[in-house]
Amino acid sequence: MPMAISFSKRELEKKKQSKKLEKQKRKEERKANAGNGSFEDMIAYVDENGLITDTPPDMNNKQEINIEDIAVSTLKKEETEETVLRGRVEYFNEDRGFGFIKDVNSTEKYFFYITSVQNPIVEGNMVTFELERGRKGMNAVRIALAS
């Protein structure tokens, strides 16, 4: 004996069919309009200020740059200033030997090992620390209680 289809089921099937037809129409419209754009309409240029524009740059305003005037260098490690940061111990697990310090000047949190701590600390202590690159990001090192 065939099962009767309820009114709500019929309505759902109608909605599904109409959505399918609308999707097919949109797909056909996209295909029809795809050939209208030319290659020149798709080209973008970057002006002297680094902004993207649709007009090509004016080659008459071109400035000559002497290659010797360009300085490319990085500071040596001795020249970089080691800055001492202030923070608060957000989390510290003494049994496992690690924790996190939140910098007071920013919202950054830094991981630290107990071997980097110079004085005994607990959660909530204000400390001073320096940063050093670790395997997974910046780590707090040379941690001392803030005075």
Side-chain angles (χ1 to χ4, degrees), residues 43-59 61-63 65:
I43 293 179
Y45 301 95
V46 180
D47 67 6
E48 62 273 2
N49 299 318
L51 301 173
I52 297 175
T53 65
D54 57 353
T55 56
D58 184 12
M59 297 311 266
N61 293 340
K62 191 172 163 183
Q63 292 179 355
I65 298 174

Side-chain angles (χ1 to χ4, degrees), residues 38-119:
S38 66
F39 180 69
E40 284 77 29
D41 292 340
M42 293 190 294
I43 293 179
Y45 301 95
V46 180
D47 67 6
E48 62 273 2
N49 299 318
L51 301 173
I52 297 175
T53 65
D54 57 353
T55 56
D58 184 12
M59 297 311 266
N60 295 332
N61 293 340
K62 191 172 163 183
Q63 292 179 355
E64 289 294 322
I65 298 174
N66 189 357
I67 198 161
E68 285 81 30
D69 294 341
I70 300 173
V72 180
S73 65
T74 57
L75 295 175
K76 293 181 181 174
K77 188 163 182 143
E78 300 86 44
E79 294 173 1
T80 60
E81 247 183 67
E82 289 289 326
T83 57
V84 177
L85 302 169
R86 289 180 49 86
R88 190 169 73 87
V89 178
E90 287 284 307
Y91 174 80
F92 179 57
N93 187 330
E94 195 170 348
D95 297 332
R96 299 190 61 197
F98 73 91
F100 292 92
I101 295 175
K102 184 175 183 180
D103 189 356
V104 293
N105 295 328
S106 69
T107 58
E108 293 292 318
K109 289 184 182 179
Y110 300 105
F111 178 83
F112 71 91
Y113 287 107
I114 196 163
T115 55
S116 300
V117 179
Q118 297 168 353
N119 312 42

